[in-house]
Amino acid sequence: ALVGWYLMYPPPEDYEAPLSRWKIGESFDSARACEERRQVIQANYWGYAVSYILCVASDDPRLAK
């Protein structure tokens, strides 16, 4: 099975929430593409929450609800 990648954002003001509660911002075909986008966002946007965004594989068990 092919694995996609999600650029994920934590819920506002709850940066330690379980990953299953995070929001998918964008999806990618590769980890590299996701990581490149994450770095661009962190370089161009200011804010505490931006430092928490993650790239997560679509089959990561932490996404299960």
Side-chain angles (χ1 to χ4, degrees):
L2 293 175
V3 175
W5 290 84
Y6 299 135
L7 183 65
M8 300 193 65
Y9 299 84
E13 308 300 325
D14 190 4
Y15 307 120
E16 295 183 20
L19 205 55
S20 62
R21 291 189 38 224
W22 288 38
K23 302 294 182 206
I24 297 171
E26 299 177 53
S27 55
F28 300 88
D29 293 330
S30 70
R32 182 179 183 162
C34 185
E35 182 60 28
E36 287 173 356
R37 179 68 175 141
R38 186 185 70 79
Q39 289 177 10
V40 166
I41 290 171
Q42 288 182 329
N44 291 299
Y45 295 93
W46 184 88
Y48 191 66
V50 172
S51 65
Y52 281 89
I53 60 175
L54 295 174
C55 289
V56 179
S58 60
D59 65 351
D60 190 308
R62 298 175 295 168
L63 293 174
K65 301 212 181 243

